[in-house]
């Protein structure tokens, strides 16, 4: 099973993705079949612009938490953006690409890492964007 450090990385990335409207978040422990990566986080966005915003937010939050991005692919088209943070690889998909590539099916035998639900709270008078 993934270490607490990896679980914490997943939590940071998931919170950032959710803050930009990321949907259908699934974290998979891929440490057994893949020797170099411990976890995948799969996220869907509803447009190219949304996918790009989610990817940017994840990258920024991970950097603030001390996790440097090693590689990024797909930012130009923003249909499937891959962010590699070493132990964690974040896949931000446009909804159609996620269905087409079906990573959940490919990795269905891998354990799911629970993602703590983040609760957005506001008080009267707050501006919600």
């Amino acid at each position: 099973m993934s270490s607490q450090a990896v679980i914490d990385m997943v939590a940071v990335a998931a919170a950032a993705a959710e803050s930009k409207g990321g949907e259908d978040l699934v974290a998979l422990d891929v440490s057994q079949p893949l020797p170099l990566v411990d976890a995948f986080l799969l996220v869907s966005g509803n447009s190219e612009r949304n996918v790009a915003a989610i990817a940017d937010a994840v990258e920024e939050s991970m950097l603030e938490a001390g996790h440097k991005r090693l590689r990024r692919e797909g930012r130009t088209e923003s249909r499937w953006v891959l962010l590699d943070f070493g132990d964690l690889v974040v896949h931000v998909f446009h909804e159609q690409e996620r269905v087409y590539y079906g990573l959940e099916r490919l990795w269905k035998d891998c354990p799911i890492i629970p993602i703590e639900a983040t609760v957005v709270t506001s008080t009267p008078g707050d501006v919600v964007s």
Side-chain angles (χ1 to χ4, degrees):
M1 188 63 177
S2 291
S3 68
Q4 187 60 47
V6 171
I7 292 168
D8 293 344
M9 289 174 75
V10 167
V12 169
E18 287 180 334
S19 77
K20 294 297 180 184
E23 299 175 345
D24 299 326
L25 280 73
V26 175
L28 300 170
D29 181 339
V30 295
S31 60
Q32 290 303 312
L34 295 177
L36 301 176
V37 177
D38 286 339
F40 282 170
L41 176 62
L42 312 179
V43 183
S44 292
N46 55 28
S47 68
E48 288 88 348
R49 189 174 183 169
N50 186 221
V51 167
I54 293 166
D56 291 347
V58 168
E59 191 170 344
E60 183 178 314
S61 291
M62 291 294 284
L63 187 59
E64 288 174 5
H67 306 291
K68 184 179 177 192
R69 174 185 48 85
L70 305 177
R71 186 177 65 177
R72 176 177 57 197
E73 296 180 16
R75 178 64 173 83
T76 306
E77 298 83 18
S78 295
R79 300 288 297 178
W80 177 2
V81 178
L82 180 146
L83 301 169
D84 181 353
F85 297 98
D87 292 335
L88 172 65
V89 175
V90 180
H91 300 269
V92 185
F93 291 97
H94 189 284
E95 295 163 328
Q96 295 166 340
E97 270 64 16
R98 184 161 178 181
V99 170
Y100 180 78
Y101 290 104
L103 291 189
E104 286 98 334
R105 286 191 315 273
L106 291 174
W107 301 100
K108 68 180 184 280
D109 295 334
C110 294
I112 292 177
I113 299 170
I115 299 172
E116 297 299 320
T118 56
V119 178
V120 178
T121 58
S122 61
T123 57
D126 282 354
V127 176
V128 179
S129 55

